[in-house]
Amino acid sequence: MSATENRAAEDPAAIHGALESIRARLDDYIIGQDAVKEAMVLALIAQEHIYLMGEPGSAKTLLAEVAGGAANLRFQFNQMHRDTRLAELIGDVQIAREPMPGGAGEVIRQTLKPGGVLTAEIVLLDDISRAPGEALNVLLRILNERKYQNMSIPLMTAIGTSNPTNDEYYNEPLDPANLDRFTLQLKTKSTVGLQQWSEARRIIDRYEGFPADLAPGEGAVRAELLKSAREALREVYIPPRVLEAYRRFLDSLINKYGCTPENSLLTDRTMLIKVPRMIKALALLEGRAEAGTGDLRVLKHILTFRIPENLYENLDNILNEVIQEIEQDEEMMSEESQEQQGTQGQEDSAESGEEAQEQDSGGEKDLVDQLMEAMQAQGDESEKRKSMQQNAASPEDGPPQFQRNQPQHVENLDTLLDKIRGRLERNQADSEVHPGGAPRTYKRMKSFEEFMDTDPAETAIWMNEIQPSLPRAFHRKKKNVGGKVIIIRDVSQSMEGRYARWTSSVVTRMVDMVRKKRMRIGYIEFNHVSRKYQHDGRFFTRDYDKIIDKAANVSCSGVTNYQYPLRDALAEFRRGRGTNRHILFLTDGEPTQGDWLVREERKQAKALGVSIHTLFIGTTECPEILDILSEETDGSQFLATPDDRGGLSIAERFSRSAQQNPYRPSFPDGSPASGGQTPGLPRRANLWKG
C-alpha cells in the first residue's frame, strides 16, 4: 500500500486525537494566545504558511518551535538578519571540477547541496521582515511553489515571525505580493500589554523566572497522522448555505464597507482557494465532517493584514450580520414552503390531474418570483433603515468604528493621483545609508562602535599589527521604499459643509494610494493654528486607517494661516533622513494671518528638497502664493471646482510663470468666475518678486 493510501486510510478519530495532542502541547508551554495557537494547528492541518507579527517577547518564536516539535517532522530554524543570503536558507553552494573528454582541460561547475528550507518539513523564519529583498523574494517564491528550480521539496508549513515594522527594529513590512504567500496572518500581543493579570500569574508560576525548557520529541504525534490530515480535508463537505454566506460576506466587504484594491489585499489565490480549505480545516479540527457558518470565523486568522484595521476590529459583527441574513432567508423559505403545501392540499377536486399539475407549476413559479421580490424589498428596506439611522446619529457619536466615510463624487481625482504618483515613484529606486541595509560597499571605520561590522580579514591583520588606519567597515545602504508624504488640510470656517466632505474624499484616496506604496504619512489640520495628528507619539506612521478616520470627522472654524502648518511639516522632515519628500496642501482660501508669502518656509522647503503639491478648492481665483509654493519646490498644481452633479471636478492648474493670463475657472453653468478676490482682502500683485 502506498504512503498516500496509508494516509487516506487513517482513522478519523486518530487524526482528531493527533490534532488535539498538538494543541495540548501548545497549551503546556504557552499561556493565553488562544487564537494564535488555533491558527498554528490549522496551518499544520492544511499545510499552509502562517505569519505572526508582534512586539518582542510575546512568544512568537516559542509558538513556532513548540508547534514544530509537536510532530515527528524535520524542523528547520532560520534566524533572519540584514545580511541573510539565499545560500544560508537553501543549502551550500559547491564548486565541482570535472575533466573534459580527451583531457583537453577541465570544466568548473557550480552546484547546490540542498539543505535548510529545501529539506525541512516545517520551517521557522524568525524576524523575516529583517531579511534583504535579494534573499526574501526568491525564498517566498520557493515557499509558494514548494519547489526549487525543477526539484520538489517536502515543505509543509513555513512560519514567519516579525517585530512591529518600524525603524527601531531595522525592518520594513512585507510587500503585498510577499505577504499574500502567508495564508494565515495574526498579531500577537503580550500578556502584560493586554493587562491579563490572571494569565500573567500563571506564566510566573509556570516558569518561575526561567525561560521555557523545550523537551524535543516529548509527546510528539506520529508524522503520518499529521500528514494524513491534508488528505482528510478532501472529505469535509461545505454546504451551499456556507458558501452563500461567504459570498455575501465578500460582497459586503467590497460594496458596503469600501474594500478596494487600494486599501485591501483580497486576492483570488487566498479568498477563493485558500479560504475554503481553511474552513474545512477548522471543521476537521473540531471533529466534524461538514462545515457550518460558524466556521467562517477562521477569517479572523486570515484577514488581519488584508483589510483596513477598523474593519478587522469589527469583523465579528460583520460576520454575524451575514449569518443572521442567511438564517432569516432560510426561515422565510421554510414559511413559504409550508404555505405552498397548504395551498396544494386545498386544490379544487373538479380539476383534472393535468390541469392541476399545470396550475401547481405556475403557482410555484409565481411563488418563487414573489419570494425573490420580497427578499429584494426586505433588503432595500433594511438598507434604507440603516441609512436613516446613520443620518440621524449624533455628530458627537461619530460614525461606527468599522464604517468607512462614504466618498463624495470627485471627478478626475485620478488625474491628481496619477500626477503625484509619478512624482513619488521618481526616486523610488534610490538607496540611502541605513544601519539596517545590505552591505553594498566598504568605508573606513569612524568609531569602535562599527568594529563588529568590519571586514574580517582586515580586522584580523589589524589586530596582529595595530596601525593608525582602522579596518574597513561595511557601507550599508537600504532601498528607499517610497519616501514620506504629509497631507496639510485647511479646516477654517470657509471649509464647512460640502467642501469638508469633498476634501475628506480626496484625503481618503490619497491615503489609499500611499498605503499601496507602503510610504509613511503625516497629517496636519490647520486654521489659525496647526494641529498635528500623532499615533503612539509618532508623527509619520503607517496607520493609514486612523488617518482616514481622523479626516472623516473634522470641525471647521477660525481663519487661515499657511505659515504654521508648513513650519510644522518642514520641522518633521528635518528630524528624519532620506529623500522623496512630499506635501499635499489642500485649501479653499488665501491666508489671512501670519506671513502671507511664507518666505522662510519656502527657503526651508527648497533646502530640504521637499515638493509641495497644492490643490485649491473653490470657484474664485486661486491664491498666487500656491503657484509660488509649487513652482519653487517642483510640485504640482491642481484646481477643484464644483460640477453640475453636486460633486467636485479636479483639473491640473497652469502656473502663472507659464502664461501671462492666469487660468480662471468657470461656474457649473458655464459662466466665468469672479475676479477671485476674497472679500475684505486687498489684492496683492507681483508676488513672484516678493
Side-chain angles (χ1 to χ4, degrees):
M1 182 180 292
S2 66
T4 301
E5 292 172 343
N6 268 324
R7 291 198 296 270
E10 292 284 2
D11 182 12
I15 295 175
H16 180 65
L19 300 178
E20 289 294 327
S21 176
I22 296 174
R23 177 58 189 268
R25 183 174 174 84
L26 289 170
D27 290 335
D28 288 340
Y29 284 95
I30 293 96
I31 306 298
Q33 305 279 11
D34 292 336
V36 182
K37 289 187 287 190
E38 180 181 75
M40 191 73 72
V41 179
L42 292 176
L44 296 176
I45 295 173
Q47 296 184 19
E48 294 292 344
H49 307 317
I50 180 171
Y51 175 64
L52 305 176
M53 187 183 78
E55 57 197 57
S58 55
K60 302 185 300 296
T61 304
L62 181 61
L63 278 163
E65 291 177 336
V66 174
N72 190 19
L73 299 173
R74 293 190 296 275
F75 178 76
Q76 172 70 28
F77 176 88
N78 295 278
Q79 179 65 56
M80 313 293 277
H81 52 85
R82 60 186 180 179
D83 296 334
T84 298
R85 296 177 294 109
L86 183 62
E88 298 178 40
L89 304 173
I90 63 175
D92 296 325
V93 177
Q94 298 177 332
I95 303 298
R97 304 174 63 179
E98 301 176 0
M100 294 181 63
E106 62 180 10
V107 177
I108 300 178
R109 301 180 186 274
Q110 179 177 297
T111 62
L112 174 70
K113 181 180 180 182
V117 174
L118 301 186
T119 58
E121 294 172 304
I122 297 180
V123 173
L124 171 59
L125 305 171
D126 203 26
D127 287 334
I128 187 173
S129 57
R130 291 187 179 180
E134 291 85 348
L136 190 59
N137 291 334
V138 178
L139 169 65
L140 292 180
R141 182 174 180 179
I142 294 173
L143 300 185
N144 182 60
E145 299 176 356
R146 286 183 167 83
K147 67 178 182 180
Y148 178 68
Q149 297 178 349
N150 295 324
M151 178 180 65
S152 297
I153 61 177
L155 178 66
M156 294 173 54
T157 298
I159 305 164
T161 69
S162 77
N163 292 320
T165 51
N166 55 47
D167 287 338
E168 278 64 32
Y169 297 104
Y170 295 150
N171 59 3
E172 293 288 344
L174 299 180
D175 64 68
N178 289 334
L179 186 62
D180 194 45
R181 300 296 197 269
F182 295 92
T183 302
L184 297 163
Q185 305 171 4
L186 293 94
K187 288 183 178 180
T188 61
K189 297 183 179 180
S190 67
T191 304
V192 174
L194 295 174
Q195 300 184 36
Q196 297 173 340
W197 305 122
S198 60
E199 293 184 353
R201 178 58 185 270
R202 291 171 56 197
I203 294 175
I204 293 174
D205 294 340
R206 175 72 55 85
Y207 296 107
E208 297 181 346
F210 294 92
D213 185 13
L214 299 180
E218 181 183 345
V221 302
R222 288 193 298 119
E224 291 75 12
L225 286 172
L226 186 57
K227 293 179 180 179
S228 65
R230 176 66 181 270
E231 300 297 330
L233 284 180
R234 301 181 184 276
E235 306 300 324
V236 178
Y237 174 63
I238 303 181
R241 66 188 300 267
V242 178
L243 293 177
E244 174 62 16
Y246 178 50
R247 184 197 66 79
R248 293 191 186 187
F249 169 77
L250 292 178
D251 183 74
S252 181
L253 281 185
I254 296 170
N255 296 315
K256 185 175 180 180
Y257 296 104
C259 288
T260 65
E262 286 75 21
N263 63 11
S264 304
L265 185 63
L266 305 177
T267 63
D268 288 353
R269 170 172 51 197
T270 297
M271 308 314 295
L272 303 183
I273 298 176
K274 303 297 182 67
V275 169
R277 186 184 303 165
M278 300 314 303
I279 292 174
K280 290 184 175 184
L282 184 54
L284 184 64
L285 177 61
E286 297 182 351
R288 292 181 280 109
E290 180 175 317
T293 54
D295 293 324
L296 291 177
R297 69 180 176 84
V298 77
L299 291 165
K300 290 279 289 184
H301 305 330
I302 298 174
L303 298 178
T304 308
F305 304 106
R306 297 179 184 275
I307 61 176
E309 184 179 356
N310 55 347
L311 284 184
Y312 179 78
E313 291 175 353
N314 290 272
L315 194 61
D316 289 333
N317 295 333
I318 301 174
L319 286 171
N320 290 336
E321 287 180 3
V322 172
I323 294 174
Q324 289 175 5
E325 289 177 3
I326 292 290
E327 293 175 350
Q328 291 174 1
D329 292 347
E330 290 176 345
E331 291 178 1
M332 291 177 61
M333 293 290 290
S334 177
E335 293 175 359
E336 294 291 347
S337 177
Q338 293 177 2
E339 292 179 3
Q340 180 182 359
Q341 293 177 0
T343 302
Q344 290 177 349
Q346 298 175 1
E347 294 174 351
D348 188 2
S349 58
E351 295 179 352
S352 64
E354 183 177 354
E355 293 174 349
Q357 187 175 14
E358 292 175 356
Q359 291 176 0
D360 290 345
S361 176
E364 182 179 357
K365 182 178 180 181
D366 293 340
L367 183 62
V368 172
D369 292 340
Q370 293 173 9
L371 178 60
M372 295 300 294
E373 292 175 0
M375 291 172 61
Q376 181 66 35
Q378 183 186 27
D380 294 342
E381 184 65 25
S382 175
E383 291 297 324
K384 184 177 180 181
R385 287 197 302 269
K386 291 178 181 178
S387 178
M388 293 175 62
Q389 291 172 359
Q390 292 172 6
N391 292 334
S394 171
E396 289 77 13
D397 296 336
Q401 192 174 10
F402 57 89
Q403 188 73 30
R404 286 282 300 273
N405 181 41
Q406 294 300 323
Q408 301 291 312
H409 170 68
V410 180
E411 188 175 353
N412 298 330
L413 180 57
D414 289 340
T415 301
L416 180 148
L417 296 178
D418 290 342
K419 185 78 173 181
I420 296 180
R421 184 184 295 114
R423 298 294 183 93
L424 300 181
E425 293 175 345
R426 184 169 56 188
N427 298 323
Q428 191 171 11
D430 291 348
S431 297
E432 61 179 353
V433 177
H434 193 284
R440 302 296 183 185
T441 57
Y442 286 101
K443 65 176 183 178
R444 285 296 172 186
M445 282 178 56
K446 295 182 179 179
S447 67
F448 285 103
E449 294 179 356
E450 299 177 338
F451 204 92
M452 298 302 295
D453 210 20
T454 57
D455 178 76
E458 289 195 13
T459 302
I461 296 174
W462 186 85
M463 292 291 291
N464 290 332
E465 186 177 352
I466 299 178
Q467 300 177 357
S469 179
L470 296 174
R472 292 186 302 172
F474 290 123
H475 192 208
R476 297 184 178 275
K477 288 188 176 182
K478 185 177 182 181
K479 285 187 177 180
N480 193 325
V481 295
K484 297 175 181 178
V485 176
I486 296 178
I487 297 177
I488 299 179
R489 174 183 179 175
D490 188 351
V491 291
S492 60
Q493 181 63 44
S494 58
M495 290 290 288
E496 184 68 36
R498 60 179 183 172
Y499 279 17
R501 294 193 295 272
W502 286 330
T503 308
S504 294
S505 298
V506 174
V507 172
T508 298
R509 290 286 300 278
M510 183 69 185
V511 173
D512 285 340
M513 185 191 75
V514 170
R515 182 204 307 264
K516 205 167 186 179
K517 300 297 178 184
R518 299 187 301 116
M519 300 172 68
R520 287 183 172 82
I521 188 169
Y523 180 68
I524 297 177
E525 294 176 354
F526 77 95
N527 43 28
H528 51 278
V529 297
S530 173
R531 302 178 185 87
K532 295 190 296 184
Y533 168 78
Q534 291 190 336
H535 177 64
D536 293 337
R538 297 179 179 277
F539 176 72
F540 286 108
T541 179
R542 286 195 177 97
D543 196 343
Y544 307 111
D545 297 313
K546 295 289 177 57
I547 292 182
I548 291 175
D549 290 340
K550 176 68 175 174
N553 298 277
V554 296
S555 177
C556 298
S557 62
V559 294
T560 307
N561 186 320
Y562 286 3
Q563 193 174 11
Y564 291 157
L566 286 172
R567 182 182 300 171
D568 286 346
L570 295 172
E572 293 295 338
F573 280 129
R574 278 198 303 272
R575 293 191 180 98
R577 58 177 181 271
T579 58
N580 210 8
R581 304 168 173 183
H582 301 265
I583 292 175
L584 177 61
F585 195 92
L586 309 172
T587 184
D588 75 326
E590 298 189 64
T592 57
Q593 283 188 358
D595 181 5
W596 292 1
L597 302 182
V598 288
R599 297 178 180 87
E600 186 62 31
E601 287 70 30
R602 285 155 52 191
K603 293 179 182 177
Q604 293 180 15
K606 289 189 290 185
L608 293 171
V610 177
S611 296
I612 303 178
H613 312 277
T614 58
L615 173 62
F616 178 73
I617 303 175
T619 57
T620 60
E621 184 179 339
C622 172
E624 191 172 355
I625 185 57
L626 295 182
D627 288 330
I628 297 174
L629 281 171
S630 297
E631 284 292 310
E632 290 187 351
T633 62
D634 192 27
S636 304
Q637 302 141 294
F638 296 92
L639 176 70
T641 55
D643 60 21
D644 54 2
R645 292 185 293 175
L648 198 67
S649 179
I650 294 179
E652 189 169 2
R653 194 171 74 245
F654 296 97
S655 67
R656 286 167 169 78
S657 63
Q659 59 178 20
Q660 294 181 353
N661 297 325
Y663 175 73
R664 292 178 180 270
S666 300
F667 287 113
D669 59 3
S671 61
S674 63
Q677 183 174 346
T678 303
L681 292 179
R683 196 70 200 132
R684 300 190 300 279
N686 297 325
L687 293 183
W688 290 96
K689 298 179 181 179

